[in-house]
Structures are given as structure tokens and as C-alpha cells.
């Protein structure tokens, strides 16, 4: 098993176990309100090697439960903890060749910058940079910056380091 997949499986399982009570409570509350279309939002997105899969999300943004509700996809291997944002099948950029080389992620450079004043093409460029330079060190850096970006906004300043020409 590859180190990245091992990290996704172990950390994803641990996070899912920790988040399960909050997710179950949010799902129960949402069920009581009887939302049209059901408790989970479903969307077909493009995954590894361009394979589509149905992404199920609990659309509860409080405490970022919407992102945590995607953890079963990480444990199943359809997504990764870190990677480019999942895009719906047919969305602009979803068919880019580089996107099919890695699993979509819960967090990544573009997700950490979401909500900032990015030019329209910068999220895709950040995701492409991640795919071209990803590794365990970059994944660890992005994972460590995720809580601050989600809850405090500090992680939104991340930019890839430019390599100096020699």
C-alpha cells in the first residue's frame, strides 16, 4: 500500500470515527426537517483516472460538517485527504488530463484559498501545481494548515513556493 493511501485510510478512519457523533446528529436534525431531495446532496464528480463517482455530502456548513461528511469517500479510496477539489462531471476543467492523475481531495491548495479574492483561474492553477509537485511533505503542510483555514482564515494565504532559477 502506498504511503499516501495508508495516511488517507488511517487518518481518514480516525477523523470519521471522531466526527461520527456530530455527523449522525446533523443527519438526524436534517431528517426531522424533511428536506426535499433527502438528507444527503448527491453529485457526480470526476475521480482518479477520470472515473466518475457519486459524491454524497451532508449539506451542513456549521462546523464544516459538509467537508467531514465526505470522509467515507476517503476511506473507500474514491477521494484523498489532500488533492485537487472534486469537480462535477462536465464542469470546466474537470476533464483536464492532470486532474485524472490523482484522487480529488477534501483539502488542497485551492480549497485553502477558497473565500479569498482569487482571480478566476488561480484555483485551477493551484490544483495543477499540487498535482505536478505533490508528495508527503506538501500533503502534511496542507493538512496542518487546513484547521486554521477552516476556522480562523489564516491558511488562506498559502501559495506554492516559486523555484529560483539558477
Amino acid at each position: 500500500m502506498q504511503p499516501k493511501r495508508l495516511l488517507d485510510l488511517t487518518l481518514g478512519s480516525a477523523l470519521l470515527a471522531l466526527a461520527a457523533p456530530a455527523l449522525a446528529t446533523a443527519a438526524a436534525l436534517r431528517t426531522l426537517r424533511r428536506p426535499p431531495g433527502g438528507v444527503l446532496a448527491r453529485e457526480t464528480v470526476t475521480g482518479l483516472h477520470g472515473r466518475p463517482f457519486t459524491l454524497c455530502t451532508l449539506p451542513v456548513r456549521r462546523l464544516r460538517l459538509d467537508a467531514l461528511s465526505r470522509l467515507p469517500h476517503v476511506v473507500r479510496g474514491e477521494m484523498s485527504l489532500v488533492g485537487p477539489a472534486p469537480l462535477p462531471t462536465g464542469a470546466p476543467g474537470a476533464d483536464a488530463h492532470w486532474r485524472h492523475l490523482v484522487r480529488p481531495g477534501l483539502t488542497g491548495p485551492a480549497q485553502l484559498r477558497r473565500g479569498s479574492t482569487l482571480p478566476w483561474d488561480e484555483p485551477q492553477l493551484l490544483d495543477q501545481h499540487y498535482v505536478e509537485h505533490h508528495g508527503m511533505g506538501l500533503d502534511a503542510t496542507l493538512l496542518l494548515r487546513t484547521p486554521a483555514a477552516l476556522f480562523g482564515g489564516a491558511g488562506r494565504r498559502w501559495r506554492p513556493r516559486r523555484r529560483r532559477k539558477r
Side-chain angles (χ1 to χ4, degrees):
M1 184 178 291
Q2 294 178 344
K4 181 174 176 83
R5 180 66 189 128
L6 184 60
L7 176 69
D8 286 344
L9 191 56
T10 55
L11 186 56
S13 296
L15 289 171
L16 184 57
L18 290 171
L23 292 171
T25 301
L29 291 173
R30 193 159 160 76
T31 301
L32 292 174
R33 293 186 185 144
R34 301 191 193 285
V39 174
L40 297 175
R42 290 173 169 75
E43 182 175 39
T44 302
V45 297
T46 304
L48 182 64
H49 304 302
R51 291 187 196 113
F53 68 94
T54 301
L55 179 64
C56 298
T57 303
L58 185 61
V60 179
R61 296 214 180 260
R62 285 190 180 165
L63 301 176
R64 304 299 183 176
L65 293 178
D66 56 327
L68 292 175
S69 71
R70 295 177 175 189
L71 283 168
H73 294 285
V74 173
V75 174
R76 281 195 302 262
E78 296 167 327
M79 291 183 70
S80 180
L81 290 171
V82 181
L87 291 180
T89 305
D95 59 349
H97 171 72
W98 55 266
R99 272 192 174 277
H100 301 168
L101 300 176
V102 297
R103 288 177 178 87
L106 292 182
T107 189
Q111 293 97 312
L112 291 179
R113 297 279 308 223
R114 188 168 289 140
S116 66
T117 56
L118 288 175
W120 67 271
D121 62 341
E122 191 169 336
Q124 188 150 332
L125 293 173
L126 289 170
D127 281 343
Q128 184 175 3
H129 182 272
Y130 170 81
V131 171
E132 293 171 353
H133 299 95
H134 72 280
M136 292 302 289
L138 180 55
D139 283 4
T141 299
L142 293 169
L143 282 170
L144 290 172
R145 291 182 180 194
T146 296
L150 289 176
F151 300 111
R156 292 189 177 147
R157 292 180 189 87
W158 184 84
R159 288 187 181 270
R161 281 191 274 173
R162 306 264 187 235
R163 294 187 182 202
R164 294 182 186 158
K165 294 184 181 181
R166 296 176 193 209

